[in-house]
Amino acid sequence: MILPERAAHGRNSEPTCFLLIKSYVPLTAILRFNLFLNTRMKKVDVVLGLQWGDEGKGKVVDVLTPAYQVIARFQGGPNAGHSLHFEGKKYVLHTIPSGIFREGSINIIGNGVVIDPVILSEEIAKLEKDGVDVQGKLLISKKAHLILPTHRIIDAASEASKGKTKIGSTLKGIGPTYMDKTGRNGLRVGDIVSGEFEERYGRLKEKHIELLKQYDFPYDICDYEKEWLAGIENLKRFRFIDSEHVVNSLLQEGKAILAEGAQGSMLDIDFGTYPFVTSSNTLCAGVCTGLGVAPSRIGNVYGIFKAYCTRVGSGPFPTELFDEDGEKMRQIGQEFGATTGRPRRCGWLDMVALKYSVMMNGVTELIMMKADVLNDFDTLKVAVAYNVNGKETSEFPYEASEKIVPVYKEFKGWNCDINKLRRYDEFPAELKNYIEFIEQETGVPVKIVSVGPDREETIVR
Ligand code: GDP
Ligand code: IMO
Ligand code: MG
């Protein structure tokens, strides 16, 4: 393979591999050399949820952070609620990366995230009250979009107008903000210090007020707007960065970076259970666009799932339980939204959806959460296929409607308390069997098993 000369490119600017090609070095040697270069260059590892959110991403990021210097959020916004438990305390983070508690960590809110200055300021104030040096550890992308008070109102008005078909949004203004981003109307963090901020804010607000006339929805933005403007002022003391340059420079310097997903793969705007989804790409691909990282710079993909399933808000949930088993999961697992407090819908593990998510994300390692919630079940069920209109399939279908009847495989429960266990070889045979079945089905190893909310209640295999 000999590439033609390109007059426009000076020889000095050509990549090494082109120079090697011109010297007629065998192709296999070139490939080996490029592989060597690639493996020396650091990559971004990714933690993301494989179900409908709330898998335990906050806990896992917190557990993994000692191995990373940089933690970066790449999508979503304050619709997320990531819980962390340590030293007898519980924290819930909405916009700030879950690495913020670790000494010396750099925490980046990437360009793909949408920010509500009120919620972010409240989050910062709580952490600062507890002695966390947020200002020293948090960097915010100039390209991250701002959630305006009117975005929240449009979200609420739009949901109210949908009646029974509502999405069950967290009503944080996520959808309308991403709409303005793709509609090329949005306001970004970098605009805060542009000198024209107030004018641009006023113009977008007016546009929203016009839009709201089509809804019969009473609202008053005065109080929230005051807090919002104060929040904007507060953000000015943080470092606004060109995050794509910073992230890539940190990679060049050999820093270990962990990207923290929000929501879950089944809520992805393209591949989730549309329209009952969020408005961003929650999948691994979102790391590339939400941080400015090239696909070849993605390293390990840690896919997190609960040993069962939950979903909050509306939309298809094939393995949902409406009986006492579902209620038992909710009570033992404390399945109530970390952002809205809403009860989460609960059901059996769905292998069809899990395999779909593993495929879409290129998951390299699985992390199973909340195994302890199933301690007290005699029999466990896992959906291994769906029956749709009399036809069995193991592929997640275009329309995941109520027509789906899950085909279950039963497992004997472990029926004992696993919270105190700290080694895999101490696990009961039934739990090992459950985990090994998941590994077999997905073809991906389960590297971490979580047996309780605390940092300590984590078994790394
Ligand atoms: P995230 O949004 O993915 O970070 O998850 P959430 O924080 O919204 O929800 C997970 C909930 O489960 C939180 O309350 C965690 O403290 C809790 N949790 C995490 N891992 C475990 C576990 O292994 N066992 C139990 N019982 N609770 C867990
Ligand atoms: P974390 O990061 C669970 C759900 C909402 C709703 C749909 C759209 O904590 O896992 P939106 O507010 O984006 O307009 O809501 O998505 N949803 C979540 N469910 N965990 C989350 O985040 C979620 N973020 C949004 O309930 O059904
Ligand atoms: Mg959550």
Side-chain angles (χ1 to χ4, degrees), residues 49 53-59 80-85 90-92 98 260-261 263 304 306 308 332-339 344 368-373 419 449-454 457:
D54 303 325
E55 296 88 351
K57 298 174 289 292
K59 167 175 172 170
H82 295 180
S83 321
L84 294 82
H85 288 250
K90 179 180 176 177
Y91 292 91
V92 180
S98 302
E260 173 180 358
Q263 289 78 58
I304 308 186
K306 282 179 190 169
Y308 49 100
I332 298 174
Q334 279 303 291
E335 296 295 359
F336 299 91
T339 297
R344 294 174 183 150
M368 186 167 98
M369 310 300 289
K370 303 190 93 160
D372 56 298
V373 175
N419 302 60
V449 181
S450 175
V451 295
D454 198 89
E457 293 167 311

